[in-house]
Amino acid sequence: KPLPPDKVLDVILEVYEQKIAKDKSDEAAGRPLQTLPDFFEDFFLRRYGLRKMAQARLAEMVYSVERTKGKFRRVAIFATLCGLEREDLYSPATAEMFLAVLRAVYAGGHSAIKERLDDGYGRCKVTLREALNGVIGVGASPRDRRTWCVEPLTRVSTFAALERLVAQVLELAPEYDGGAMLEQVAVDADAVFDKIVEFYLAQVEARLADMGSVFTNFDKDQSGELDLSEFQAVFTHFTGGRFSAE
């Protein structure tokens, strides 16, 4: 029997908040960051202490996520970040991106993320300034690309594509005319997160398609693998011959 949806959503928000706190601690200590699925497993071990009980609660939560992801957008996003949904696009980098977005949006208080999202999907607000922090970096100007700090998103996209995402976020506040302070305009937090996640996944999907096309074009003998000469041809093509085959 799956957990009630509100319980599933509560656990998801707790996981996000605690994962960000752990990431900050690990970064300060120079330790590598855990993947979200690994942290998710440890979350239950820390909560229940006994491994057998923790594994039972983890299995219950995973089952509940599987059963509710089609009905609740926040659950669907969490499932995608953990590889339980849209498996063909799964990468630990997707969760890294989303957690970085949360950290930027709620830069003023990471320990209050759950509290600020507790009202439920579509009923939580962030300022337009906070929303843009999640896309272009804390304090960056939407009109000046030179101020943008957007590494998680630029790993998979161009600045031109990011400009389109910025425009979409600004459209969430039709009353914003460019003159008002960004801090004075509120937008739907979930609408912001939805746009960012879908943007990121679309960019990943496009790049995977590009890679598949490149592989097909350079796999001259259609063996399903690139031999050394074929790999060198790919390297030469994309570096413009600036480097030797060696």
Side-chain angles (χ1 to χ4, degrees):
K1 181 180 178 180
L3 293 167
D6 59 343
K7 178 62 176 176
V8 175
L9 291 162
D10 277 349
V11 171
I12 288 172
L13 294 181
E14 286 183 49
V15 168
Y16 288 155
E17 192 170 281
Q18 291 188 28
K19 176 67 165 74
I20 287 172
K22 177 82 163 44
D23 284 354
K24 291 167 67 178
S25 174
D26 287 342
E27 288 168 357
R31 294 187 295 263
L33 304 187
Q34 276 187 297
T35 65
L36 182 60
D38 285 347
F39 179 86
F40 189 36
E41 186 173 348
D42 285 352
F43 172 86
F44 287 94
L45 186 58
R46 287 192 301 274
R47 171 169 286 191
Y48 296 102
L50 298 175
R51 183 168 294 277
K52 186 174 182 180
M53 182 179 292
Q55 289 177 338
R57 293 292 178 262
L58 173 63
E60 179 182 53
M61 181 65 180
V62 170
Y63 175 70
S64 301
V65 168
E66 290 279 13
R67 290 294 301 272
T68 56
K69 66 186 182 183
K71 300 176 182 177
F72 298 91
R73 177 62 180 159
R74 287 183 179 178
V75 180
I77 288 178
F78 182 77
T80 301
L81 302 182
C82 291
L84 300 173
E85 176 78 351
R86 301 176 76 167
E87 294 91 339
D88 56 323
L89 299 179
Y90 172 71
S91 165
T94 306
E96 291 175 17
M97 176 279 301
F98 187 74
L99 291 166
V101 167
L102 284 177
R103 287 177 67 169
V105 170
Y106 298 107
H110 296 142
S111 62
I113 290 175
K114 182 177 183 299
E115 180 183 344
R116 291 195 60 184
L117 289 169
D118 257 351
D119 286 343
Y121 185 86
R123 295 191 293 273
C124 303
K125 300 294 184 180
V126 293
T127 68
L128 191 52
R129 171 68 276 164
E130 290 173 319
L132 289 169
N133 285 349
V135 179
I136 57 177
V138 177
S141 168
R143 295 192 183 91
D144 186 357
R145 265 181 18 177
R146 294 171 300 178
T147 66
W148 294 9
C149 181
V150 288
E151 183 188 351
L153 293 175
T154 51
R155 290 175 188 167
V156 299
S157 68
T158 63
F159 271 93
L162 277 175
E163 286 179 331
R164 292 193 291 273
L165 177 60
V166 168
Q168 291 174 18
V169 171
L170 291 173
E171 288 171 1
L172 294 174
E175 71 274 25
Y176 178 70
D177 60 4
M181 296 285 288
L182 295 169
E183 292 81 2
Q184 296 174 343
V185 181
V187 295
D188 180 347
D190 289 290
V192 174
F193 297 137
D194 285 349
K195 286 188 178 297
I196 293 173
V197 170
E198 288 308 313
F199 169 84
Y200 185 91
L201 293 177
Q203 296 295 311
V204 169
E205 193 167 31
R207 271 144 189 76
L208 287 174
D210 288 344
M211 289 171 62
S213 176
V214 167
F215 185 92
T216 300
N217 289 338
F218 285 90
D219 183 22
K220 299 300 184 183
D221 59 5
Q222 299 183 337
S223 65
E225 297 179 350
L226 294 182
D227 61 27
L228 179 59
S229 64
E230 290 167 341
F231 178 77
Q232 288 173 335
V234 173
F235 191 75
T236 299
H237 176 81
F238 284 102
T239 61
R242 292 191 299 274
F243 304 96
S244 70
E246 297 177 0

